[in-house]
């Protein structure tokens, strides 16, 4: 955080929530309130060979560290930039003889930095790592067991010549990672590739309908305003996806972050009526609704299983059947209908059945628009995918309209320099040009389009993964 950015915010005691951050001046939508580099960060265990350990960009050809053979980098520049943080890790891995898991690697990197700089405030930080919350006292039995295992492994990995920390301090650092770890995404923001600790961001409290969003861009996180924020107003972000009834969101927040959410949306159950929406005419009985919810939950489990086995045609079949059964019972904002619409449109796009996918994608977007904050990043990404699907299906006007809408949201949530926003701008220009041609001469347009599709100017959808979209905050589910 630069000196100027530090003047944008101040730490205060938030009613019933402990510390928080508030704005010291007025902000508008898309303003960057502050940017912050990680205090320490590591690549996930599963991706250590395909993601650069310095800049977190995904690359096919990476150089690896000649010493430990573990760390991978884009090039010499990234390798040089990493040495200060990798030096101790490099010799510790060689001494230990293997590579410990991401939690232990991150804890060690944090403690080597504390050893180098002391545990007080570092430049550009509003809070020290020592002062972050660890919630260790709230850990359940399973978490306690994991913590003990991690601490044991850490002690074997930590070199005898490094500064020795107390068991309590080591546990504190693991606790901090557990409740303040932030997910880092690759350069396109589409895949979670690592986890880091950002002390200033850790001060920002949760709200299910927040006034800020966080995006990882070019090696640092940006806290961006979603709309007008007044001087003195508390800054909030959402730790979880909004798309759930308030009771379920509260359970998730309690389980993962150990607090009871008292935001307005949870207290008043705002939008719950839409999430549980049923058809009006005729209105189904409570019994029918209950049965349909159970049937939907069972189907979603079967879908997860089929998806994890790569049986995409089976996934589509299950979605179609369930959506048909839901039709007379659920409204299009119903959470169970939306989950199916999201899955089926993504999988059909992957299978290149764009025509059918486009109908489902449109229904999904209509539902989402009634539920999400108008500048929600997940909403923007969903509209972008739906726009692409419609474009591929030949629905040029609908596709172009969605791509424009998504671009407007991403300018706020991701900013103009983010790779996804740039991709989206290129798509917007291409669809606009096509739309003009289409309106002038439909026959010529179809000829051009065939030629263009053969050259694949736009990315066909990636294979649907069983992983959910990268969640902002890194939590074991």
């Amino acid at each position: 955080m630069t000196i100027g950015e530090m003047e944008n915010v101040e730490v205060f005691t938030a009613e019933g929530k402990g510390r928080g951050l508030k704005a010291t001046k007025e902000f508008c939508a898309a303003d960057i309130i502050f940017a912050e580099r990680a205090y320490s960060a590591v690549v996930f265990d599963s991706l250590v060979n395909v993601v650069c350990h310095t800049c977190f960009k995904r690359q096919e050809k990476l150089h690896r560290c000649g010493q430990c053979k573990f760390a991978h980098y884009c090039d010499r520049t990234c390798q040089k930039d990493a040495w200060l943080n990798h030096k101790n890790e490099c010799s510790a891995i060689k001494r230990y003889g293997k590579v410990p898991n991401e939690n232990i690697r991150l804890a060690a990197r944090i403690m080597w930095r504390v050893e180098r700089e002391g545990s007080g405030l570092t430049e550009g930080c509003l809070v020290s790592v020592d002062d972050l919350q660890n919630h260790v006292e709230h850990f359940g039995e399973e978490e306690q067991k994991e913590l003990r295992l991690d601490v044991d492994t850490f002690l074997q990995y930590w070199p005898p010549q490094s500064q020795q920390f107390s068991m309590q301090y080591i546990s504190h650092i693991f606790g901090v990672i557990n409740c303040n770890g932030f997910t880092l995404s690759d350069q396109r923001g589409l895949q979670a590739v690592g986890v880091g600790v950002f002390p200033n961001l850790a001060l920002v409290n949760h709200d299910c309908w927040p006034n800020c969003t966080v995006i990882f861009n070019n090696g640092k996180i940006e806290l961006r305003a979603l709309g007008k924020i007044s001087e003195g107003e508390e800054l909030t972000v959402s730790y979880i996806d909004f798309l759930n009834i308030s009771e379920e969101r509260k359970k998730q927040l309690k389980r993962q972050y150990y607090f009871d959410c008292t935001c307005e949306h949870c207290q008043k159950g705002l939008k719950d009526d839409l999430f549980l929406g049923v058809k009006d005419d005729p209105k189904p009985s409570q019994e029918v609704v209950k049965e349909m919810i159970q049937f939907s939950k069972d189907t979603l489990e079967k879908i997860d299983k089929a998806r994890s086995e790569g049986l995409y045609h089976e996934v589509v079949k299950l979605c179609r059947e369930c959506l048909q059964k839901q039709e007379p019972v659920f409204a299009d904002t119903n959470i169970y209908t939306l989950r199916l619409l999201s899955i089926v449109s993504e999988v059909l796009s992957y299978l290149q059945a764009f025509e059918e996918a486009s109908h489902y994608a449109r229904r999904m977007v209509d539902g989402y628009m009634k539920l999400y904050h108008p500048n929600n990043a997940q909403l923007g990404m969903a509209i972008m995918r739906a726009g692409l699907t419609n474009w591929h299906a030949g629905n040029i006007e609908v596709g172009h309209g969605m791509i424009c809408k998504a671009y407007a949201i991403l300018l706020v949530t991701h900013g103009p320099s983010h790779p996804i926003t740039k991709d989206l701008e290129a798509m917007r220009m291409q669809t606009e040009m096509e739309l003009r041609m289409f309106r002038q001469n439909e026959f010529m347009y179809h000829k051009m389009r065939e030629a263009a599709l053969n050259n694949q100017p736009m990315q066909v959808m990636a294979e649907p993964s069983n992983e959910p979209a990268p969640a902002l905050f890194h939590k074991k589910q």
Side-chain angles (χ1 to χ4, degrees), residues 307-324:
R307 212 172 162 177
S308 64
E309 292 166 12
L311 304 170
Y312 296 125
H313 290 284
E314 179 63 18
V315 170
V316 171
K317 188 166 145 288
L318 286 163
C319 287
R320 276 191 199 126
E321 284 168 8
C322 193
L323 282 163
Q324 211 171 350

Side-chain angles (χ1 to χ4, degrees), residues 160-205:
Q161 70 275 21
S162 287
Q163 183 183 335
Q164 297 304 306
F165 293 97
S166 69
M167 291 290 272
Q168 195 183 350
Y169 190 76
I170 297 167
S171 298
H172 164 73
I173 296 296
F174 278 110
V176 164
I177 293 169
N178 181 53
C179 58
N180 293 296
F182 182 84
T183 305
L184 310 182
S185 50
D186 62 359
Q187 62 270 44
R188 294 174 57 98
L190 297 174
Q191 187 189 18
V193 294
V195 56
V197 167
F198 296 82
N200 297 333
L201 177 62
L203 292 170
V204 181
N205 284 318

Side-chain angles (χ1 to χ4, degrees), residues 123-285:
E123 195 187 341
C125 279
L126 298 160
V127 61
S128 71
V129 174
D130 285 17
D131 286 337
L132 291 175
Q133 282 189 298
N134 64 48
H135 287 294
V136 171
E137 72 280 10
H138 296 131
F139 277 19
E141 221 170 296
E142 200 45 47
E143 287 172 309
Q144 289 279 3
K145 210 168 91 183
E146 275 180 36
L147 176 64
R148 281 197 297 273
L149 275 173
D150 276 349
V151 171
D152 284 349
T153 311
F154 174 84
L155 291 169
Q156 293 165 38
Y157 172 63
W158 188 251
Q161 70 275 21
S162 287
Q163 183 183 335
Q164 297 304 306
F165 293 97
S166 69
M167 291 290 272
Q168 195 183 350
Y169 190 76
I170 297 167
S171 298
H172 164 73
I173 296 296
F174 278 110
V176 164
I177 293 169
N178 181 53
C179 58
N180 293 296
F182 182 84
T183 305
L184 310 182
S185 50
D186 62 359
Q187 62 270 44
R188 294 174 57 98
L190 297 174
Q191 187 189 18
V193 294
V195 56
V197 167
F198 296 82
N200 297 333
L201 177 62
L203 292 170
V204 181
N205 284 318
H206 164 86
D207 193 297
C208 291
W209 197 260
N211 55 14
C212 294
T213 188
V214 191
I215 191 73
F216 184 65
N217 185 15
N218 202 10
K220 51 188 187 297
I221 60 103
E222 293 172 351
L223 184 73
R224 307 178 67 90
L226 291 177
K228 185 173 170 293
I229 297 175
S230 312
E231 185 183 334
E233 196 179 325
E234 181 175 9
L235 302 167
T236 54
V237 292
S238 181
Y239 296 175
I240 59 171
D241 185 11
F242 177 66
L243 222 60
N244 218 330
I245 56 170
S246 54
E247 189 189 341
E248 289 299 325
R249 288 199 308 270
K250 283 167 86 162
K251 275 188 202 157
Q252 186 185 349
L253 289 162
K254 184 74 171 169
R255 188 176 71 244
Q256 296 183 357
Y257 298 96
Y258 319 102
F259 70 86
D260 296 299
C261 188
T262 57
C263 81
E264 189 187 14
H265 274 68
C266 283
Q267 279 187 328
K268 296 181 179 167
L270 300 178
K271 307 239 176 194
D272 282 357
D273 55 334
L274 291 171
F275 284 130
L276 299 170
V278 294
K279 286 281 195 303
D280 266 344
D281 193 24
K283 209 176 172 70
S285 69

Side-chain angles (χ1 to χ4, degrees), residues 275-302:
F275 284 130
L276 299 170
V278 294
K279 286 281 195 303
D280 266 344
D281 193 24
K283 209 176 172 70
S285 69
Q286 278 186 310
E287 197 47 48
V288 167
V289 171
K290 224 170 108 177
E291 277 173 19
M292 189 47 70
I293 288 176
Q294 196 48 57
F295 178 72
S296 303
K297 282 181 176 170
D298 296 344
T299 303
L300 282 162
E301 274 184 25
K302 287 181 194 162

